[in-house]
Amino acid sequence: MARRALITGITGQDGSYLAELLLEKGYEVFGLVRRSSSENFERIGHIQDSLTLLSGDLMDEVSLINVLRESRPSEIYNLAAQSFVQTSWHQPVLTSETTALGVTRMLDAIRIANPEVRFYQASSSEMFGRVRAIPQNESTEFYPRSPYGVAKVYGHWITVNYRESYNLHASSGILFNHESPRRGLEFVTRKVTHGVARIKNGLESELRLGNLDAQRDWGFAGDYVKAMWAMLQRDEPDDFVIATGETHSVRELCEVAFAAAGLNWEDHVVVDPAFLRPAEVDLLVGDPSKAQAVLGWKCDVDFYGLVEMMVAADLDALRS
């Protein structure tokens, strides 16, 4: 009998790549979807016939218990959240409800419906915020610098708490920035590659960005979902930093992306103070050595391959 997995946030970037991976591995895949006015199944359209989508909401624990009873999963991947840092400044309470308390509701639903379920929590490098050590690993102190980062710290520690208090198989992946052609346009990597494609096609002449000196550890989302799966195959639950171990600036992102389309970034990029955050996170770079040693995980796509892949996809999308 096929193993069953439930993915919250299945319509997002990570959810779509994880769903593909699990289908390839022969799982029966269930996705939790909210009833909303603008349902967007674009990222899972090509596999939607192979999925079972169930209605529920991280704001409503009873709906989660019902979904668990209906889908009877052996693995749950909690990828749903209000995941955009900038938005968390404008909607801090909503961010807390979904990104923090939503984790508690799901863990409590597991405790009530089936404590044997293996649970994956999507933690974030934004928890490190104003970094206390470089690079950051599993024992680096958290110092979040946004309502999103604070909510993720809560989600992380409540997962540890339920693991230790109720003996749940609950693991957290502390994922550093991971991108792909499926990344939302509000994230800087996709904003840049989409902007490059529009400028290349004469639809725009400039791209407005915030802090060009901000540095991030960017990897490919398709690689990172393999680490999520690997965590839930272990006998013992644990927490893992998933990262490339390399850092690149937004300026370098612009250089590589514009060059991929045969353009000079300095001719088009304009720094706009409107895109600067109230509290900036300057340098995030992860140490993935534990995941490499324990999970046997590695990155297959490097930074340059990732940016070029995204530019090519955005150029293709404009042509079609």
Side-chain angles (χ1 to χ4, degrees):
M1 191 170 135
R3 283 196 282 176
R4 294 165 158 238
L6 172 68
I7 303 172
T8 75
I10 194 167
T11 59
Q13 168 188 258
D14 293 9
S16 66
Y17 280 109
L18 179 62
E20 286 175 349
L21 178 71
L22 295 177
L23 289 171
E24 282 168 20
K25 292 183 180 295
Y27 280 71
E28 192 173 345
V29 179
F30 295 82
L32 181 78
V33 292
R34 278 181 310 164
R35 290 218 182 277
S36 71
S37 55
S38 58
E39 291 177 344
N40 181 3
F41 299 127
E42 183 185 341
R43 294 184 183 96
I44 56 170
H46 62 297
I47 52 172
Q48 200 168 333
D49 291 347
S50 306
L51 306 171
T52 304
L53 300 180
L54 301 173
S55 181
D57 199 311
L58 288 177
M59 309 281 250
D60 179 5
E61 188 172 332
V62 173
S63 75
L64 300 179
I65 293 169
N66 289 336
V67 164
L68 293 194
R69 287 177 174 157
E70 187 175 349
S71 57
R72 303 190 316 281
S74 58
E75 298 171 8
I76 294 175
Y77 297 86
N78 185 38
L79 311 184
Q82 189 299 99
S83 62
F84 187 40
V85 174
Q86 194 74 34
T87 299
S88 79
W89 292 105
H90 305 298
Q91 299 182 323
V93 176
L94 176 72
T95 299
S96 303
E97 282 286 354
T98 55
T99 308
L101 292 178
V103 186
T104 314
R105 295 187 191 103
M106 180 58 87
L107 286 164
D108 216 45
I110 292 169
R111 181 182 66 79
I112 292 164
N114 181 7
E116 298 303 307
V117 169
R118 296 189 172 194
F119 175 77
Y120 171 83
Q121 166 60 11
S123 289
S124 166
S125 60
E126 289 286 332
M127 300 189 306
F128 295 120
R130 187 173 176 181
V131 299
R132 317 311 282 163
I134 297 171
Q136 295 92 51
N137 63 25
E138 292 79 7
S139 58
T140 303
E141 183 186 347
F142 299 138
Y143 195 135
R145 297 272 279 170
S146 65
Y148 170 76
V150 172
K152 278 293 187 184
V153 170
Y154 176 97
H156 181 84
W157 281 119
I158 202 71
T159 300
V160 172
N161 191 262
Y162 268 67
R163 174 167 78 211
E164 294 177 351
S165 303
Y166 300 113
N167 204 28
L168 297 187
H169 193 296
S171 296
S172 285
I174 305 172
L175 271 58
F176 279 67
N177 297 62
H178 46 290
E179 319 296 314
S180 75
R182 299 178 194 172
R183 194 56 146 152
L185 289 171
E186 64 271 30
F187 292 88
V188 69
T189 46
R190 184 73 199 293
K191 182 178 177 180
V192 168
T193 63
H194 183 254
V196 165
R198 289 184 65 79
I199 289 168
K200 181 69 175 176
N201 282 275
L203 300 171
E204 306 276 352
S205 62
E206 65 177 31
L207 175 64
R208 304 183 81 83
L209 296 172
N211 181 9
L212 299 185
D213 295 318
Q215 295 184 309
R216 293 291 183 273
D217 182 328
W218 280 300
F220 173 49
D223 288 338
Y224 284 39
V225 298
K226 295 174 186 172
M228 300 176 185
W229 176 80
M231 285 178 218
L232 296 201
Q233 310 319 305
R234 299 183 69 246
D235 291 337
E236 294 297 320
D238 204 350
D239 305 324
F240 294 90
V241 164
I242 306 299
T244 68
E246 293 181 6
T247 186
H248 299 273
S249 67
V250 174
R251 183 177 280 101
E252 190 178 354
L253 166 67
C254 292
E255 285 174 22
V256 176
F258 278 89
L263 299 169
N264 179 6
W265 74 277
E266 290 174 299
D267 295 338
H268 304 284
V269 173
V270 177
V271 174
D272 186 340
F275 293 111
L276 297 174
R277 294 178 187 173
E280 183 57 84
V281 173
D282 295 315
L283 176 60
L284 288 172
V285 55
D287 173 7
S289 50
K290 178 179 170 183
Q292 291 166 346
V294 176
L295 302 176
W297 177 81
K298 68 180 195 318
C299 285
D300 292 319
V301 179
D302 69 7
F303 171 75
Y304 303 98
L306 170 66
V307 177
E308 286 162 7
M309 172 204 304
M310 292 175 67
V311 171
D314 276 325
L315 286 168
D316 279 349
L318 279 182
R319 286 191 201 106
S320 58

